[in-house]
Amino acid sequence: MINLINLKKEYLEQDVSTKALQDITFSIEKGEFVSIMGPSGSGKSTLLHILSFLDRPSGGSYKFQGKSIDDMTDKELAVVRNKDMGFVFQSFNLLSRLTVYDNVEIPLLYSEIPTRKRKSLVEEAVKSVGLEEKLHTEAGRLSGGQKQRVAIARALVTDPNVIFADEPTGNLDSKSGLQVMEILESLNQKGRTVILVTHETQTAEFADRIIRLKDGFVESDKKITANRHLRFSLK
């Protein structure tokens, strides 16, 4: 699904070049659950932005589902992003005065899906995260864990091929964080590709594989073979 070869990202400011990513090479297959880790300044956020079409690399190759992003216009990238990618953020990014239904429906407003079909898709997505009883509750009235579950439902509603989760447990208590990770794990077990950015080792170990970045390079890329439920225990 994702193939990177010698990917680079440089920022130029006042004639000073900062190398955020250097010679990043790896592939992610459809259905994988991959965690990207690294200290502050390692390049993990920059990498996530490029993987999710929010930014373009300065050099190297990035192919998504076999097509090079160099051959795609910004408009084409936006269409693919809306159709094939779902996003979950640390800060939820919900509109607090809108209901759960209205927040989850937002990605569908940019599609040609008719209103009746949108209704069933929203209800199905909200049900998948166990919040159907909160469907018409304002998002601002929900707990942090419930808000993140709404964000996951919003990410799911377009039936994306890949879900990008950026520090999804960062603003949650341990119990809510575990619930969110179990939902992401369940989605992966149903065939969704999940790419998680986190600084939390226990959260990262929900994945099948951990890619560690340091100073813009891939420091390590290792498969996880142990049972995830035995590795992750939050009190």
Side-chain angles (χ1 to χ4, degrees):
M1 172 176 284
I2 288 173
N3 185 43
L4 309 180
I5 300 176
N6 297 327
L7 194 81
K8 299 177 178 65
K9 181 64 181 180
E10 294 185 26
Y11 295 100
L12 186 64
E13 186 175 349
Q14 296 181 346
D15 295 327
V16 177
S17 175
T18 301
K19 296 181 179 179
L21 297 174
Q22 304 183 64
D23 297 320
I24 302 292
T25 298
F26 63 78
S27 295
I28 296 176
E29 302 297 328
K30 182 175 175 60
E32 275 197 278
F33 191 156
V34 178
S35 289
I36 298 173
M37 296 191 72
S40 179
S42 63
K44 59 184 185 295
S45 294
T46 300
L47 179 59
L48 179 69
H49 289 163
I50 291 174
L51 291 177
S52 58
F53 295 175
L54 296 174
D55 199 358
R56 287 183 182 265
S58 305
S61 169
Y62 174 19
K63 290 184 178 180
F64 181 78
Q65 298 188 133
K67 186 170 183 179
S68 172
I69 68 168
D70 289 338
D71 298 330
M72 302 170 71
T73 66
D74 289 345
K75 184 176 181 180
E76 288 172 331
L77 291 178
V79 170
V80 174
R81 185 168 58 241
N82 190 57
K83 177 179 179 292
D84 290 328
M85 299 177 178
F87 298 88
V88 182
F89 303 97
Q90 178 178 349
S91 56
F92 318 131
N93 288 3
L94 302 180
L95 299 176
S96 60
R97 293 189 178 182
L98 294 185
T99 65
V100 169
Y101 181 98
D102 291 335
N103 271 282
V104 174
E105 186 187 28
I106 287 173
L108 298 178
L109 300 179
Y110 301 96
S111 71
E112 298 179 355
I113 298 173
T115 302
R116 183 175 297 179
K117 178 62 173 177
R118 291 206 303 262
K119 182 174 185 293
S120 65
L121 290 173
V122 170
E123 290 175 348
E124 182 180 347
V126 172
K127 184 177 180 180
S128 73
V129 298
L131 285 178
E132 54 266 43
E133 77 282 358
K134 301 289 186 180
L135 190 65
H136 299 294
T137 301
E138 287 186 0
R141 297 179 179 272
L142 302 177
S143 68
Q146 289 172 331
K147 288 177 180 177
Q148 196 59 294
R149 286 153 65 187
V150 173
I152 293 173
R154 182 184 57 195
L156 286 175
V157 76
T158 59
D159 192 25
N161 286 316
V162 57
I163 296 174
F164 292 98
D166 188 5
E167 300 282 5
T169 63
N171 285 335
L172 304 179
D173 59 41
S174 297
K175 181 179 179 180
S176 297
L178 178 58
Q179 291 174 339
V180 165
M181 291 310 302
E182 287 178 337
I183 291 172
L184 290 175
E185 180 184 47
S186 175
L187 293 172
N188 173 247
Q189 291 174 344
K190 294 175 182 176
R192 306 271 184 181
T193 305
V194 179
I195 299 176
L196 168 73
V197 169
T198 182
H199 68 278
E200 300 171 344
T201 299
Q202 287 182 314
T203 301
E205 288 180 348
F206 255 91
D208 303 307
R209 172 183 169 200
I210 298 178
I211 297 172
R212 295 182 184 273
L213 301 183
K214 184 177 181 179
D215 298 330
F217 292 96
V218 174
E219 182 180 41
S220 64
D221 184 349
K222 296 181 179 179
K223 293 276 190 178
I224 297 178
T225 56
N227 183 284
R228 284 179 284 193
H229 289 295
L230 295 178
R231 288 197 311 272
F232 196 102
S233 178
L234 289 177
K235 304 298 183 182

